[in-house]
Amino acid sequence: MRRKISLLLIIPIILAICGCGRKAQRAESRVADNTLRIYTYDSFVTWGLAAETIGQFEKKYDCTVYIETVGDAGNIVNRLIMERSNPQADVIIGIDNTMMSRILAERVLSPYRSDNLRYVPDELHFDSSYHLTPYDYGFFAFVYDSYAIDNPPSTFGNIQDGIWKNRIVISDPRTSSPGLGLLLWTIAAFGENGYIHFWRSVKNNILTVASSWDEAYSMFLAGEAQIVLSYSTSPAFHIEVEGVNRYKAFIPQEGAFMQIEGAGIVRNTPNIELAEKFIDFILTTDFQRHIPTTQWMYPVNKRVPLPASFNEIPVPERTLNDEIDLAGINARTLERWLMRWIEVMIN
């Protein structure tokens, strides 16, 4: 249902990026044409959103769209950096609010404020500079197996209780967007001086820190753990596709943490007009109506109805995003937070 995210904090990844950069420098310079080239994460294609929407855009504007999946959101940023002087993409899809500060600092996107943002509530306009346009959002949550658990935790405090020893699986914040989201969530809930105490207390309850959401969720479905970090909308997938109401989600009472995903126009693209039309398009109902049953996230366009399965998922009473300045997080701050987490959870 979701995709992985790279934080680019280790040398082997940086070396791999450099190789990609040499390849990009040899690419021929592009000129304006009637094609749109998109970099995105894998699940945009594999889970069906591309198949449901791209053909409509091509037909409407008599153009050709080329999609290149580059793994995860971190890889998208890497490619743009390496191709800075000779961009090979026109649009990127899949940079969320936890990565916003990094990509804006690199100055590889062009600002564009679509008129169709009038259909999007102000609180979802997560980039005030409009280099990134929101297209979906969701809330991190813990999903549990109701066949194995009668009384799930209801607070972060409950999660630390010894009754849950070795029953929880999460994903690594160094390699996974839900993992990073959980780390930032706990910082928002407990502050920079308090979040590490939560992790010390919960460590024994964590069966595994998986490298990705996919790995963690597969372990959960296999019965290796009874609670997994995921999204509040995850049970909707099981209800809608499998007809199964076994899996439930809970959001700790302290407050939820919202993930907002965005798309942007690559700086110096020769196809700026077509790129702007695509940003307009992703906010229309023709695009947005497919998000709930392909991305399993909420559409940002409030005119889009939700499937009945979304009535079965929890709705947070409050969010904690305002407790942390996502736009102001720099690489040094994030590395410090991660290193403290590693000291507790990995070492």
Side-chain angles (χ1 to χ4, degrees):
M1 277 172 270
R2 311 303 312 136
R3 75 289 310 163
K4 296 175 285 186
I5 189 171
S6 170
L7 298 181
L8 317 180
L9 295 176
I10 55 178
I11 291 175
I13 297 179
I14 296 174
L15 294 176
I17 297 167
C18 292
C20 178
R22 288 192 293 271
K23 181 179 178 181
Q25 290 171 358
R26 292 195 297 268
E28 294 182 2
S29 298
R30 296 176 57 217
V31 296
D33 54 19
N34 203 35
T35 62
L36 189 76
R37 292 168 176 83
I38 298 173
Y39 287 165
T40 188
Y41 48 64
D42 294 340
S43 64
F44 181 77
V45 173
T46 58
W47 283 84
L49 184 56
E52 295 286 357
T53 59
I54 296 302
Q56 297 179 56
F57 182 79
E58 291 177 317
K59 183 177 180 180
K60 182 174 182 178
Y61 293 104
D62 191 24
C63 65
T64 301
V65 176
Y66 296 103
I67 298 176
E68 183 174 349
T69 57
V70 294
D72 56 33
N75 289 340
I76 295 173
V77 179
N78 298 344
R79 286 288 294 272
L80 295 189
I81 293 171
M82 293 302 110
E83 296 172 357
R84 188 195 307 271
S85 62
N86 185 19
Q88 298 300 302
D90 305 301
V91 169
I92 54 98
I93 297 174
I95 303 298
D96 72 1
N97 49 340
T98 68
M99 285 203 74
M100 174 177 61
S101 61
R102 170 169 168 73
I103 197 167
L104 294 185
E106 296 293 346
R107 300 175 62 84
V108 290
L109 299 178
S110 292
Y112 175 64
R113 195 185 194 289
S114 171
D115 287 342
N116 287 344
L117 279 167
R118 65 185 184 273
Y119 304 126
V120 179
D122 290 343
E123 61 267 24
L124 297 178
H125 295 201
F126 70 104
D127 175 16
S128 60
S129 69
Y130 295 101
H131 288 80
L132 290 168
T133 298
Y135 65 90
D136 73 11
Y137 72 100
F139 302 97
F140 295 117
F142 293 93
V143 175
Y144 68 97
D145 182 352
S146 66
Y147 288 8
I149 296 175
D150 292 327
N151 297 304
S154 60
T155 67
F156 275 119
N158 294 153
I159 294 171
Q160 300 171 56
D161 194 299
I163 192 176
W164 307 114
K165 184 176 181 179
N166 291 330
R167 299 178 71 181
I168 303 172
V169 59
I170 63 172
S171 41
D172 197 318
R174 297 168 295 180
T175 54
S176 159
S177 58
L180 178 59
L182 177 58
L183 176 64
L184 297 177
W185 190 5
T186 60
I187 294 171
F190 300 108
E192 187 172 353
N193 295 324
Y195 82 100
I196 209 66
H197 298 295
F198 166 83
W199 287 101
R200 288 196 185 102
S201 298
V202 82
K203 180 179 180 179
N204 288 336
N205 295 347
I206 305 299
L207 175 67
T208 299
V209 178
S211 63
S212 69
W213 175 90
D214 303 84
E215 180 183 347
Y217 210 81
S218 295
M219 292 179 64
F220 167 71
L221 292 179
E224 296 180 46
Q226 290 77 52
I227 300 175
V228 62
L229 171 69
S230 192
Y231 292 82
S232 66
T233 45
S234 295
F237 166 81
H238 298 287
I239 296 170
E240 197 80 27
V241 176
E242 301 172 342
V244 173
N245 202 24
R246 172 177 180 174
Y247 305 108
K248 312 285 187 179
F250 72 87
I251 298 172
Q253 292 176 5
E254 289 86 348
F257 198 83
M258 182 191 301
Q259 181 189 51
I260 309 173
E261 294 188 301
I265 298 173
V266 179
R267 189 176 185 182
N268 295 324
T269 169
N271 294 311
I272 185 66
E273 291 184 7
L274 192 59
E276 290 177 352
K277 290 177 181 177
F278 186 80
I279 297 298
D280 293 340
F281 173 69
I282 67 172
L283 297 176
T284 65
T285 55
D286 285 341
F287 185 96
Q288 290 279 305
R289 65 189 176 90
H290 297 289
I291 285 175
T293 54
T294 57
Q295 295 292 92
W296 300 101
M297 297 280 274
Y298 289 99
V300 298
N301 187 325
K302 291 304 182 182
R303 300 182 302 172
V304 175
L306 297 174
S309 57
F310 275 59
N311 294 328
E312 304 297 320
I313 61 180
V315 177
E317 296 182 1
R318 63 187 294 251
T319 62
L320 300 176
N321 290 61
D322 289 343
E323 301 299 323
I324 188 169
D325 181 14
L326 291 175
I329 297 174
N330 56 42
R332 182 174 297 178
T333 298
L334 183 58
E335 183 174 7
R336 182 178 70 252
W337 291 343
L338 283 165
M339 290 305 298
R340 294 187 69 191
W341 180 88
I342 290 170
E343 289 174 1
V344 171
M345 297 299 295
I346 305 299
N347 295 340

